[in-house]
Amino acid sequence: MIATPARADEALVTAQGANVLTIVDLDAGNVVGQVAIDGAPAGIALSPDRKTAYVTRPEGPSLAVVDLAARTVTATLPLPGGPLGIAVNPKSGAVYVADWYGSRIFVVSPDGSKLETEIQVGASPSGIAVTPDGATILVANREGDSVSLIDAATATETLKIPVGHHPFGITLDETGARAYTANVISNDVSVIDVAARRELGRVTTGERPYVVALAGNRGFVTDQYSGTVTVFNLQSLTNVAAIEVGDHPEGIAATRDGRSLVVANWGSNTLSVIDATTLKVTKDITVPDGPRAFGDFLR
C-alpha cells in the first residue's frame, strides 16, 4: 500500500471472523454499514476514485469487487492459491493481488472481471505498494526476506532487494522515494531508498510488526504480539514512543489531514484512533469479529 492519507472520515474494515466488510464513521465512532463477503476477507484496496473497494478472500479463494455507494458486491473473480495482499495502480486502475501460497502476483482488470497475467516474485508475497506514477510495483516477499521491484509496463520483476526477516506489510511515502517494510521475525522496519534500490537502515519495533503508516515526520508500526504501535522519526530512524492499543493490532493508516492514525485490533475487535501529535489513543470503536484491514482502508 502507499501512504497517501485518506480522503475523508470513513474506515472500510475487513472483518475476517464475521465475513463482512464493515463501514465505520470515524467522527461518530460507530459502524454505519456492512457488506457480506465470505471467504475470510483480509486484504483491501480502493480504486483511484475511491468509489470501489477490492477485497481478497483467502478462503474463497477469490477477489470481491464492492460498489461503495450501493454497498454491494458487484463481481467476484476466482483466483488460485491464497490471495491476501492487494494494491491498485493509481494511474491505470489495474489491481494487483499477492498469492500467499505461490511466488506470484496476479494482475486483474480494473472492473475485477478478468485475470490479465501473473508476475513471478519471491516466496510468499504479502504486502504490495505502487509508486505514485504507476510505473513501479513493490512486493514484500515474506519467506524470501526481500522486496521485489516490478516494472508495471512490462509486468516483469527487475530486482530483489534484501531486507529484514519475514517482511509482511510494505508502505511507500507520498512521493514514492522511500519504502518501509514491517519485518515480522526480526522485529524491525527496513527503510528502502527506491531510486537507489537498496536498504538504507532499520528501526527496532515491538514484537511481530505488521504494517507501517506515515504521518508528518513519523512512522507508526503495528506490533501484533506487543499490542502496541511503535513510533519512530523518519529522518533519524530512531524510536520515539510505544503506544498501547488493542489486542493483536494489524492494519494501520493515516487520515488525510495527518492528524490521526487508525488501527485495526484483530484480537479485541476494535479500531483505535491515535492523535498523531500527542501520541494518545483518543477513541476506541467496536467492530465485528476479526478486523484486519490489511491495505488501503480509509477514504
Side-chain angles (χ1 to χ4, degrees):
M1 81 179 167
I2 191 164
T4 302
R7 292 180 184 271
D9 57 355
E10 195 170 74
L12 306 166
V13 181
T14 49
Q16 192 164 46
N19 282 309
V20 296
L21 176 64
T22 303
I23 303 167
V24 177
D25 183 319
L26 294 174
D27 289 335
N30 56 31
V31 174
V32 295
Q34 294 185 33
V35 180
I37 301 176
D38 62 6
I44 182 168
L46 300 178
S47 60
D49 64 7
R50 320 299 281 181
K51 294 180 180 180
T52 302
Y54 305 93
V55 177
T56 56
R57 302 167 61 238
E59 296 178 11
S62 66
L63 174 70
V65 181
V66 180
D67 181 320
L68 293 174
R71 296 182 180 176
T72 58
V73 174
T74 58
T76 300
L77 178 68
L79 292 173
L84 180 62
I86 186 168
V88 173
N89 190 303
K91 297 300 184 183
S92 69
V95 183
Y96 306 115
V97 180
D99 177 9
W100 178 255
Y101 297 126
S103 301
R104 59 186 175 179
I105 298 297
F106 301 119
V107 181
V108 177
S109 60
D111 64 0
S113 67
K114 183 180 179 182
L115 173 57
E116 302 281 3
T117 190
E118 298 179 7
I119 304 170
Q120 296 302 303
V121 292
S124 292
S126 53
I128 307 174
V130 188
T131 53
D133 61 5
T136 304
I137 308 162
L138 294 89
V139 182
N141 302 309
R142 189 181 189 278
E143 300 300 319
D145 294 342
S146 65
V147 169
S148 291
L149 296 188
I150 297 168
D151 183 295
T154 62
T156 55
E157 181 189 66
T158 59
L159 182 72
K160 285 188 178 74
I161 301 172
V163 292
H165 198 25
H166 284 196
F168 193 78
I170 183 167
T171 301
L172 275 166
D173 66 21
E174 61 182 6
T175 67
R178 285 190 178 186
Y180 302 81
T181 64
N183 305 317
V184 175
I185 301 300
S186 52
N187 294 328
D188 53 24
V189 168
S190 290
V191 183
I192 297 169
D193 183 318
V194 177
R197 299 186 165 201
R198 66 181 181 90
E199 183 185 52
L200 291 174
R202 296 187 190 175
V203 181
T204 300
T205 66
E207 194 174 0
R208 296 296 179 102
Y210 190 80
V211 176
V212 181
L214 310 175
N217 66 346
R218 291 169 171 168
F220 297 79
V221 191
T222 47
D223 306 313
Q224 292 174 301
Y225 284 12
S226 300
T228 57
V229 170
T230 293
V231 186
F232 66 94
N233 184 286
L234 295 178
Q235 281 70 49
S236 63
L237 303 183
T238 54
N239 290 85
V240 174
I243 306 167
E244 291 189 5
V245 288
D247 178 42
H248 216 82
E250 297 205 347
I252 183 171
T255 55
R256 174 160 288 278
D257 59 14
R259 294 180 180 178
S260 301
L261 288 302
V262 181
V263 180
N265 301 305
W266 185 83
S268 54
N269 298 331
T270 58
L271 298 184
S272 294
V273 181
I274 298 170
D275 185 298
T277 301
T278 66
L279 305 183
K280 303 292 185 183
V281 175
T282 60
K283 190 180 298 183
D284 285 303
I285 303 169
T286 300
V287 294
D289 184 43
R292 295 199 69 181
F294 181 40
D296 179 14
F297 70 99
L298 298 186
R299 70 168 195 147

